[in-house]
Amino acid sequence: MDSIVRKPKIATVWMGGCSGCHMSFLDLDEKLIDLASKTEICYSPIIDVKEFPRVDFALVEGAVANEDHLHEIRRIRERCRVLIAFGDCAVTSNVTGMRNLIPIQEIMHQVYEVEASPTTGIPSGGVVPKLLDRVRPLHEVVHVDYFLPGCPPSSEAIWNLLMEVIAGNPPNEPRRFG
Ligand code: SF4
């Protein structure tokens, strides 16, 4: 009797980024059909799933900019076998991290017209999730297995990495790809 081979489950996540990395993912075009035949895409901005499931691989776009992101990335780390920092914002904080140059009080006032707490510098609620005091790349908050740089990474680089992680075993140590 033939054994049933389980397809690897993958997730793509959009945190503190512009979604350009996901646009590059969509640029896989017809390869997306190929990807769907090799894997099960369980969670992504392109499908409507609310709860992050247990997956084999997670491609995470964007930096960790607020408390919601922090909670989310820790939960993702618990539930995925291989975590990939997807794009420069996830790898270095990049564009999202440009706000680190300006005091948070000033940002809240100028951008959101919300005053931050004078003692902590952090807004006490309101229209946006609580911002962290500084934006962080993923590896400052959780263990990252692969780094896929680029702003955005090319669809070719995304494909090559996915094929490698799907074909191989979980990496033993953090590795830069691309
Ligand atoms: S790495 Fe570039 S394309 Fe990707 S989320 Fe950041 S700014 Fe956008």
Side-chain angles (χ1 to χ4, degrees), residues 88-140:
D88 281 348
C89 290
V91 174
T92 68
S93 84
N94 192 36
V95 175
T96 312
M98 289 171 74
R99 84 147 160 92
N100 292 344
L101 301 170
I102 303 168
I104 195 168
Q105 191 93 22
E106 209 174 304
I107 290 170
M108 293 309 297
H109 185 65
Q110 289 192 8
V111 179
Y112 300 105
E113 294 188 346
V114 173
E115 295 293 342
S117 153
T119 47
T120 62
I122 305 218
S124 57
V127 293
V128 291
K130 254 186 180 176
L131 298 184
L132 299 181
D133 58 343
R134 49 181 283 275
V135 177
R136 289 153 202 269
L138 302 190
H139 69 271
E140 285 191 12

Side-chain angles (χ1 to χ4, degrees), residues 62-81:
V64 182
N66 61 46
E67 288 195 348
D68 284 5
H69 293 155
L70 192 57
H71 177 74
E72 191 181 359
I73 193 65
R74 286 177 175 154
R75 189 169 180 79
I76 290 166
R77 179 66 276 183
E78 279 171 16
R79 294 186 166 202
C80 77
R81 199 156 55 88

